[in-house]
């Protein structure tokens, strides 16, 4: 059914081309490589980077387009998912119809085009969330959530791939910035202070808590503010924001009607040889052990329709995660993208500790689903 729809609006030759490119091998890039390559954004390097993306992006996008056609339980036929698939096919067509990149002018034009592709895909996450909700509405509630594992694994692959595509495009576009901020190579900050990023992210999360509840617990941050390592600050901000927001909400809800003063949320930043670890600790009452596996799924959100909520929130990528239960699974993907991880450990009746591990070495290749 979905395949038929694709053929109605897209030519048969395009669909065949997608099949062909979807079988080609993807090429992963490491954080260290992006950093070293981008530290000298000469015209020649930008040309090489443009030529690499001209070949790499269609492969990655074709893979996702194919997967969007073959999802279980009829998810592929949901209107929101069809819309996402059309975005992917449009982007594939744009990339494939762009001629070979031979000189700086070609490369500049190509950069404008991939910039537009990135914007086209801005709302993929809330749109897929809507598709999953459309599916859940029509689904027999007796279907056990374990059976939805296939959809969960698909979304993990799909969003992980999206992080990679957006990183590659964003990195290339940012290398064109004539006045980059100090110590920045594209999206990567070579001297990022995790304590400083954690402070900014906490302030943002606390502001949301204040707006929602009228008050907010304190946040204490422990760690050396002068310690720095190379990482992508926007990724770290998004992850810490999400963890702190969850902790604030838990503490706030637990102590709202109590005479006791709400205990602070604590953030500890530790530097190891391999990893930088950020622990976010709260005394918000914890999560029952049976509920822990659910916090990383895309299918349990209690929030209202993501797009209704989304439309009130403006278009910042970060804030779209504010309301529909995708924060934790997507934060874990961001951590894993550069070789880290996210673990949540809970003491029911007391509180929750989230451990965000970031790889310090930057050597791990992108995961390529």
């Amino acid at each position: 059914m979905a395949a038929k729809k694709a053929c109605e609006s897209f030519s048969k030759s395009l669909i065949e081309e997608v099949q062909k490119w979807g079988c080609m091998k993807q090429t992963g890039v490491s954080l260290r490589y992006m950093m070293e390559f981008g530290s000298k954004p000469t015209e020649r390097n930008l040309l090489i980077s443009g030529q690499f993306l001209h070949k790499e992006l269609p492969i990655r996008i074709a893979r996702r387009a194919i997967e969007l056609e073959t999802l279980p339980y009829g998810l592929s036929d949901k209107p929101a998912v069809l819309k996402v698939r059309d975005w992917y096919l449009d982007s594939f067509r744009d990339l494939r119809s762009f001629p070979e990149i031979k000189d700086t002018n070609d490369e500049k034009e190509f950069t404008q085009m991939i910039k537009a592709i990135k914007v086209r895909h801005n709302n993929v996450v809330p749109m897929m969330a809507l598709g999953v909700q459309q599916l859940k509405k029509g689904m027999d509630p007796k279907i056990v959530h374990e059976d939805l594992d296939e959809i969960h694994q698909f979304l993990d692959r799909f969003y992980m791939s999206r992080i990679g595509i957006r990183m590659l495009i964003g990195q290339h576009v940012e290398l064109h910035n004539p006045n980059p901020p100090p110590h920045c190579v594209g999206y990567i900050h070579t001297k990022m202070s995790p304590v400083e990023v954690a402070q900014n992210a906490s302030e943002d999360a606390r502001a949301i808590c204040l707006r929602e509840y009228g008050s907010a617990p304190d946040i204490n941050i422990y760690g050396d503010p002068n310690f720095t390592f190379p990482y992508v600050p926007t990724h770290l901000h998004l992850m810490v924001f999400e963890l702190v927001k969850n902790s604030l909400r838990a503490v706030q809800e637990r102590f709202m009607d109590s005479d006791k003063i709400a205990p602070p949320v604590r953030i500890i930043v530790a530097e190891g040889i391999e990893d930088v670890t950020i622990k976010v600790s709260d005394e918000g009452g914890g999560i029952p052990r049976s509920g822990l596996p659910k916090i990383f799924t895309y299918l349990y959100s209690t929030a209202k329709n993501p797009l209704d909520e989304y439309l009130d929130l403006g278009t910042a990528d970060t804030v779209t995660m504010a309301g529909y239960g995708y924060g934790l699974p997507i934060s874990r993907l961001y951590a894993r993208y550069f070789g880290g991880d996210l673990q949540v450990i809970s003491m029911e009746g007391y509180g929750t500790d989230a451990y965000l591990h970031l790889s310090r070495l930057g050597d791990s290749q992108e995961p390529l689903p």
Side-chain angles (χ1 to χ4, degrees):
M1 179 70 190
K4 184 173 143 282
K5 284 187 195 139
C7 297
E8 282 164 15
S9 48
F10 295 94
S11 67
K12 190 162 175 284
S13 60
L14 180 77
I15 303 299
E16 282 168 3
E17 179 107 340
V18 167
Q19 295 292 341
K20 185 182 103 184
W21 280 73
C23 299
M24 295 182 194
K25 193 173 170 306
Q26 307 175 92
T27 307
V29 192
S30 68
L31 179 70
R32 172 170 299 189
Y33 180 79
M34 285 187 218
M35 196 163 72
E36 286 170 359
F37 183 85
S39 60
K40 302 185 253 321
T42 56
E43 283 190 1
R44 182 173 172 274
N45 275 358
L46 288 169
L47 192 63
I48 292 169
S49 170
Q51 289 162 341
F52 168 70
L53 293 181
H54 190 223
K55 189 174 163 302
E56 181 66 17
L57 291 174
I59 300 177
R60 295 195 186 191
I61 286 173
R63 289 195 168 214
R64 303 288 73 89
I66 292 166
E67 243 191 327
L68 283 165
E69 294 278 338
T70 53
L71 299 175
Y73 304 111
L75 182 57
S76 290
D77 301 330
K78 296 292 172 253
V81 178
L82 289 169
K83 194 169 186 142
V84 171
R85 188 216 51 204
D86 288 353
W87 289 338
Y88 273 75
L89 290 174
D90 284 338
S91 298
F92 179 82
R93 188 167 51 191
D94 289 350
L95 283 157
R96 289 297 300 130
S97 52
F98 196 94
E100 196 190 336
I101 301 172
K102 295 200 176 74
D103 58 34
T104 299
N105 281 342
D106 295 349
E107 186 274 322
K108 286 206 169 94
E109 247 173 82
F110 178 75
T111 301
Q112 287 314 308
M113 183 201 51
I114 58 176
K115 209 169 168 177
I117 288 179
K118 187 163 179 272
V119 171
R120 173 186 291 144
H121 290 250
N122 272 351
N123 295 351
V124 161
V125 177
M127 194 55 86
M128 284 303 288
L130 186 64
V132 170
Q133 273 195 348
Q134 290 167 344
L135 174 72
K136 274 171 72 179
K137 266 200 193 89
M139 234 178 168
D140 183 349
K142 285 201 280 294
I143 291 184
V144 199
H145 275 297
E146 277 66 79
D147 297 343
L148 296 176
D149 217 27
E150 217 180 321
I151 290 180
H152 175 77
Q153 285 165 4
F154 156 72
L155 288 169
D156 261 352
R157 287 194 302 275
F158 184 74
Y159 291 141
M160 179 66 93
S161 172
R162 179 174 184 270
I163 290 170
I165 291 168
R166 293 181 82 76
M167 180 71 199
L168 292 180
I169 294 178
Q171 187 65 4
H172 181 84
V173 169
E174 193 48 43
L175 289 177
H176 281 269
N177 182 349
N179 320 308
H183 309 300
C184 284
V185 175
Y187 273 3
I188 303 162
H189 193 306
T190 58
K191 290 188 159 53
M192 182 196 76
S193 157
V195 169
E196 194 183 314
V197 176
Q199 274 162 343
N200 295 333
S202 313
E203 280 163 23
D204 290 357
R206 200 161 181 274
I208 284 186
C209 184
L210 280 166
R211 193 176 70 206
E212 234 166 83
Y213 295 102
S215 65
D218 286 338
I219 300 169
N220 300 336
I221 302 180
Y222 306 89
D224 176 3
N226 298 317
F227 164 67
T228 66
F229 77 114
Y231 203 72
V232 179
T234 48
H235 289 190
L236 181 58
H237 186 286
L238 178 142
M239 295 185 280
V240 174
F241 169 79
E242 194 54 43
L243 295 174
V244 172
K245 181 166 61 73
N246 291 348
S247 286
L248 290 171
R249 188 187 301 136
V251 173
Q252 195 63 29
E253 301 262 333
R254 188 182 189 200
F255 286 87
M256 216 158 29
D257 305 318
S258 138
D259 312 334
K260 297 195 182 94
I261 292 172
V265 170
R266 290 193 303 278
I267 303 176
I268 297 123
V269 178
E271 37 180 299
I273 293 168
E274 286 180 22
D275 278 355
V276 174
T277 305
I278 298 175
K279 177 166 81 164
V280 178
S281 266
D282 69 62
E283 293 172 39
I287 303 160
R289 212 154 40 102
S290 61
L292 267 177
K294 296 179 186 170
I295 64 176
F296 284 110
T297 70
Y298 299 98
L299 302 153
Y300 284 92
S301 178
T302 50
K304 54 184 178 151
N305 178 326
L307 280 177
D308 299 346
E309 183 145 323
Y310 172 73
L311 295 170
D312 312 337
L313 283 168
T315 49
D317 254 7
T318 345
V319 193
T320 53
M321 289 172 43
Y324 46 89
Y326 279 29
L328 278 174
I330 286 191
S331 295
R332 182 166 69 176
L333 295 178
Y334 273 99
R336 289 177 173 173
Y337 177 67
F338 282 128
D341 209 354
L342 170 61
Q343 286 167 315
V344 175
I345 296 177
S346 191
M347 285 173 80
E348 191 187 2
Y350 180 75
T352 303
D353 288 347
Y355 291 86
L356 177 59
H357 302 279
L358 310 171
S359 171
R360 233 187 124 156
L361 306 172
D363 285 331
S364 68
Q365 289 288 328
E366 295 175 274
L368 294 173

